[in-house]
Amino acid sequence: MNKVCSLFIVFFLSACVSTNDFGRVRSEVHELQRTQNEARKDIDALKEKTTGVVRQDSFTAVTDSQADLLSKVNATSSGLQELRGRFDENRYFTEKSLKEFTSEKDLLKAQITGLEAQVRALKDKLATLAPQTGQKEPEKESSDLSSKTADPGEKDAALPESKAEAMPDSKAKAYNAAYQQFKDKKYRESRQSFEAFIKGYPKTDLTDNAQFWIAETYYAEKDYESAILSYETLLKKYPDSVKASSGLLKQGYAFAEIGDVKTARIILNKLIEKYPNTKDAEAAKKKIAELEKKPQKKK
């Protein structure tokens, strides 16, 4: 009996110990589970916060990037518009300049064609006159000649006494007779006499003067084309003649008379440049001023 009671007491005590330990362990397990749950909640909260921050930072970065990109696009677009405006402006001025150049080129072509036609006509006329006068056609006709006005002074017209003494009486008489015919307005006879003088005395001090007065006979007859050619013969054959400046002046006048004002100005300006301190240069300046007041004849 006592033995059975002892076993029962031992079993009861063992049971009590096991129950207490199990409760304590169970309590500890619950505590650990609670702690674990709280830790998990904290982790989840941190994840949400972290995710929000990352998303916000990413969103802010993307927004900033888009704003910067948009600014660059706007700047590029503005630059393109400015370039397009400059291009359109340059194209307008280029097209305008091209049209003006084309018009000017056409005008110059027309003027050149007109000058060439005049030169051909003068050459044909000279070729017709050459057999009659015994003159040779000038080797090259100038296409840049033209104009008119009063006669320059008739200096060195009659044969000076010094020159008359230096040449035979027949030569002096021939020259003076031809000039007297010019003064008497017998231009055709005077021209023939001067041509005969040149043919008979081709290398005297007055041969160039005789050529000048031949041109003057044409001018006096208002045969300006023939006068232009005769003045040109003087300038080509006798470039150092004392009559060279007067020949240029009267050639300019002759071109003005046939309406070629542009060529007249060219010749008169050439005279002023080449013989600046002469009476002929002064006369040329006055003639240019006179021509400036007149409208240029279109061709």
Side-chain angles (χ1 to χ4, degrees):
M1 182 69 179
N2 290 331
K3 187 175 181 180
V4 173
C5 289
S6 298
L7 289 172
F8 177 78
I9 291 171
V10 169
F11 177 78
F12 178 76
L13 289 173
S14 298
C16 288
V17 172
S18 297
T19 300
N20 291 334
D21 290 339
F22 179 75
R24 185 174 64 256
V25 170
R26 187 175 179 180
S27 176
E28 291 177 357
V29 168
H30 284 309
E31 182 65 24
L32 288 173
Q33 287 178 345
R34 187 182 63 79
T35 302
Q36 183 181 14
N37 290 333
E38 290 178 356
R40 186 171 295 157
K41 291 178 179 180
D42 292 338
I43 290 172
D44 292 339
L46 287 173
K47 281 184 178 181
E48 290 180 0
K49 290 181 180 180
T50 303
T51 301
V53 171
V54 172
R55 288 178 180 173
Q56 183 64 32
D57 290 343
S58 299
F59 177 75
T60 302
V62 170
T63 302
D64 293 341
S65 177
Q66 288 178 342
D68 183 57
L69 181 60
L70 182 60
S71 176
K72 290 180 179 179
V73 169
N74 290 334
T76 302
S77 177
S78 177
L80 287 173
Q81 290 179 353
E82 183 179 357
L83 288 175
R84 188 178 293 108
R86 291 182 180 178
F87 174 78
D88 292 339
E89 182 179 357
N90 290 333
R91 183 176 62 182
Y92 168 75
F93 283 112
T94 300
E95 291 176 351
K96 182 179 178 183
S97 299
L98 183 60
K99 289 180 181 178
E100 291 176 352
F101 174 77
T102 302
S103 299
E104 185 176 355
K105 182 180 70 173
D106 292 339
L107 177 60
L108 288 175
K109 281 185 178 180
Q111 291 177 344
I112 290 172
T113 301
L115 288 174
E116 289 176 347
Q118 288 186 27
V119 170
R120 283 196 299 270
L122 291 174
K123 283 184 176 180
D124 292 341
K125 188 166 187 178
L126 182 63
T128 303
L129 294 172
Q132 301 175 6
T133 61
Q135 285 181 273
K136 294 183 179 179
E137 183 178 1
E139 294 179 0
K140 181 181 179 182
E141 298 300 335
S142 173
S143 62
D144 290 327
L145 309 172
S146 77
S147 194
K148 164 220 162 178
T149 188
D151 290 341
E154 295 183 354
K155 57 184 179 180
D156 298 330
L159 189 61
E161 293 182 0
S162 60
K163 290 187 178 181
E165 294 174 356
M167 61 174 55
D169 291 341
S170 58
K171 295 180 183 178
K173 288 180 180 179
Y175 183 90
N176 285 330
Y179 179 66
Q180 186 60 47
Q181 289 173 326
F182 180 84
K183 289 177 68 177
D184 293 339
K185 297 184 180 181
K186 298 178 180 180
Y187 301 122
R188 182 176 180 182
E189 293 84 347
S190 176
R191 180 164 57 249
Q192 292 174 346
S193 297
F194 277 122
E195 288 168 352
F197 179 87
I198 292 174
K199 188 175 181 179
Y201 310 104
K203 294 183 179 180
T204 69
D205 292 342
L206 289 173
T207 302
D208 54 330
N209 289 43
Q211 180 60 47
F212 173 79
W213 291 110
I214 289 172
E216 287 288 271
T217 64
Y218 284 121
Y219 190 92
E221 292 175 336
K222 298 184 178 182
D223 185 354
Y224 299 116
E225 291 85 355
S226 297
I228 288 169
L229 293 174
S230 293
Y231 289 126
E232 186 69 7
T233 299
L234 168 69
L235 297 171
K236 294 296 183 183
K237 285 188 174 182
Y238 314 102
D240 298 326
S241 171
V242 294
K243 290 292 188 181
S245 62
S246 296
L248 272 175
L249 180 66
K250 294 303 293 289
Q251 190 180 57
Y253 291 172
F255 269 105
E257 286 293 339
I258 64 175
D260 193 347
V261 177
K262 181 178 181 181
T263 306
R265 290 196 191 103
I266 292 173
I267 292 176
L268 296 174
N269 281 316
K270 180 180 179 181
L271 165 60
I272 295 169
E273 180 181 354
K274 193 171 183 179
Y275 306 100
N277 300 317
T278 62
K279 292 181 179 180
D280 291 327
E282 292 298 322
K285 291 177 183 178
K286 292 180 181 179
K287 186 59 181 178
I288 291 174
E290 178 185 328
L291 294 175
E292 292 295 336
K293 298 177 182 179
K294 297 181 179 180
Q296 186 171 354
K297 182 179 180 180
K298 294 184 179 179
K299 300 182 180 179

